[in-house]
Amino acid sequence: MNPGWVHERSSSAPWDTAQECSWVAASRRGDNLAFNRLVLKWERTVYNVALRMLQDRQEAEEATQEIFLSAYKNIRRFRQDAKFSTWLYRIAVNHCISRNRRRPQGIPISLDDAGQPPRTDAQLRVMGNQEENLLDGESRNRVRTALSFLPVDQRAVIELKFFQELTFEEIAAVLRVPVSTIKSRLYSGLDLLKVRLGNKA
Amino acid sequence: MISGCSQYVQWISRSLVGDLSADEEKALDGHLAACPSCRNERDAFAETVRLLQSAEEEPAPRHFFVYPEERILKPWQLFRQMMPRWQAATAGVIAVILAFGVLGVFGIQVKAQQEGWTLSFGRGGASAGIDTAALKAEILQAAAENNREAAREWLRNIQLEIARSHEDLTDQQRLMLAGSLSDLESRITGRLDLTAAELRSGNEKSMVDLYRTLSLEQQQQVNAVQTRIDGVIESQQERTRETDAVLETLLQVAELRFRPTGDQK
């Protein structure tokens, strides 16, 4: 059975690929405007990745800027035999993972817009009275809250598989771990999410 | 849940991401038909996956452009660094804007000097905030009108190029290109969308070459406008949201010129 979902990806057409290649090549030659054209194309994707990985808007904003800055500084190291998106995803996800680990434990993260503090992982102090489900039922908030229960490694794989729709091989290339590791993280993460998203108690 | 189900339960999530072999799928389907508790498990997983897919993406709260470190560049300075074809696009559009007299809205001051015009960008003296929405609408409309002509011309050029180079292509590539071309012709005023299955990388490269071919023809237009833009006065403008917004518009206009689509991102 094939997964039924097909979203439009931002760079599926070969026209886009050729155009993106020329922007990347120009960026490597120092063309700042070409790089910003890449930013324009990818900033929404990267911001949402950061938002789901970090569970905090301000952090996501800072992280996104840092990710693009890092990409800009390292663009010459990008070998054009690989896909640009793989390289960018790698920078983004690794940056978010290390940011996540730098958070001091036990200190509350800022409130999200539903007024509920998102939990990161089980080691953080639970704040106040937590409901298992948000009452507003908006799927985006439910998903984000559920994601906050995942350890960050699993969150990364869920992000890349379901939100960015990469194949297992692509995810393995981004995270530089074997496909078997990817799969085990994915299924553990799905199990956890199933519990969190389905729990009506 | 019966103990014999444990293997199938593991298979359920694998099935949802397409990670089962055909035989395993069949076995799972058979088991699900007979086992209601596993069916419930499957439904719970399917609902989880559905929720993950249906969660919408947020728009970016602002732009994340990277400006070079040595100094804060204004959009005009970046314009001058553009490759010629982008300069052509933006120059053409900016000429249109000047004609429409959006200067006042935009806060651009035009000063007559001995050699020609100089343009300064950004807040000069007493101007209101830049109405970026209006500016953007003007720019995009002018670009869209410009774009239809460009798209037709681009298509003609492609057909010429194909005819000239058809000996170099394999039959299969020629067929694919012919298919792509008829597709393009029928959608010239709408959204042009080439699917990945129809073109291979060899043809992508020839598309890139065509970009260059077209851009060379516009070099003359660039030179004409560039003489006017020479002598830009750098304002004291700090990088602001308005600067980002204008840069975004310039970038989108540049893209529009060479990517014939009616949609913007």
Side-chain angles (χ1 to χ4, degrees), chain A residues 10-11 16-47 64 67-68 71-72 74-76 78 80 83-85 87-88, chain B residues 63-66 86 247-248 251-252 255 265:
Chain A
S10 64
S11 61
D16 280 329
T17 311
Q19 201 174 41
E20 192 177 78
C21 275
S22 63
W23 291 334
V24 171
S27 302
R28 297 182 73 215
R29 289 192 302 265
D31 185 346
N32 171 261
L33 200 67
F35 182 80
N36 280 324
R37 193 54 196 85
L38 291 168
V39 173
L40 189 64
K41 178 175 181 180
W42 286 102
E43 59 186 358
R44 182 176 180 167
T45 302
V46 171
Y47 174 71
T64 306
I67 287 164
F68 280 117
Y72 180 68
N74 291 302
I75 188 87
R76 286 205 174 84
F78 167 64
Q80 284 179 276
K83 277 172 68 174
F84 177 73
S85 59
W87 184 75
L88 186 61
Chain B
H63 289 297
F64 293 96
F65 297 129
V66 175
W86 290 356
L247 178 57
E248 178 206 356
L251 291 173
Q252 284 187 349
E255 184 199 20
K265 266 192 72 155

Side-chain angles (χ1 to χ4, degrees), chain A residues 1 5 14-16 23 32-33 36-37 41 43-44 48 57 61 65 183 187 191 194, chain B residues 14-15 19 25 41 45 53 57-58 62-64 66 78 82 86 194 211 255 258-259 265:
Chain A
M1 158 170 52
W5 73 91
W15 186 267
D16 280 329
W23 291 334
N32 171 261
L33 200 67
N36 280 324
R37 193 54 196 85
K41 178 175 181 180
E43 59 186 358
R44 182 176 180 167
N48 276 279
R57 285 184 203 286
E61 215 178 296
Q65 187 69 74
K183 287 185 178 179
Y187 298 130
D191 280 344
K194 182 199 69 159
Chain B
R14 286 174 57 191
S15 154
D19 192 25
E25 281 280 2
E41 273 296 293
F45 270 115
Q53 296 160 37
E57 285 220 326
E58 297 200 11
R62 62 171 177 86
H63 289 297
F64 293 96
V66 175
L78 293 168
M82 281 189 208
W86 290 356
L194 302 172
Y211 274 147
E255 184 199 20
F258 291 90
R259 184 166 182 269
K265 266 192 72 155

